[in-house]
Amino acid sequence: MGTQDIGTGTRTTIVIVAADTLGLPIEAINLYIGDTLYPPSGASGGSTTPGGVSSSTRRAAVDAREELFTKVAPALNTTPDQLECKSGKQLE
């Protein structure tokens, strides 16, 4: 995203939210921010930036996780609602 980290923990917050949602270790998340080629974000400003981008990060990760589950569930003979992400592995 086009947001900046001006020392308020934005990078850390985004990585934690994405990793938690996807059941991955923090080290598995590659974060790219601060480039005008990325989707726009609000202006960076003190402690408002992490809170402002956390919900969009969570929504994007949930959408990606649900799309993945929808695609893999038939191969696993289950339904998407029976799948979860945990410890970097997909579990039934």
Side-chain angles (χ1 to χ4, degrees), residues 69 76 78-92:
F69 287 174
L76 298 171
T78 191
T79 59
D81 63 317
Q82 297 300 308
L83 300 174
E84 68 178 291
C85 292
K86 186 173 180 182
S87 302
K89 298 177 183 176
Q90 175 248 303
L91 306 171
E92 273 189 73

Side-chain angles (χ1 to χ4, degrees), residues 2 12 27 37 40 47 54 74:
T12 303
E27 308 80 48
L37 296 175
S47 60
S54 293

Side-chain angles (χ1 to χ4, degrees), residues 2-91:
T3 195
Q4 302 295 313
D5 188 339
I6 57 173
T8 57
T10 301
R11 289 177 187 275
T12 303
T13 302
I14 294 169
V15 169
I16 289 171
V17 170
D20 181 64
T21 304
L22 298 171
L24 295 170
I26 291 172
E27 308 80 48
I29 303 296
N30 293 319
L31 175 63
Y32 301 98
I33 65 171
D35 191 319
T36 57
L37 296 175
Y38 300 145
S41 181
S44 295
S47 60
T48 62
T49 305
V53 297
S54 293
S55 61
S56 60
T57 300
R58 170 95 171 136
R59 180 77 263 153
V62 166
D63 289 349
R65 182 186 67 200
E66 298 307 315
E67 187 167 334
L68 174 66
F69 287 174
T70 298
K71 291 183 185 283
V72 302
L76 298 171
N77 295 318
T78 191
T79 59
D81 63 317
Q82 297 300 308
L83 300 174
E84 68 178 291
C85 292
K86 186 173 180 182
S87 302
K89 298 177 183 176
Q90 175 248 303
L91 306 171

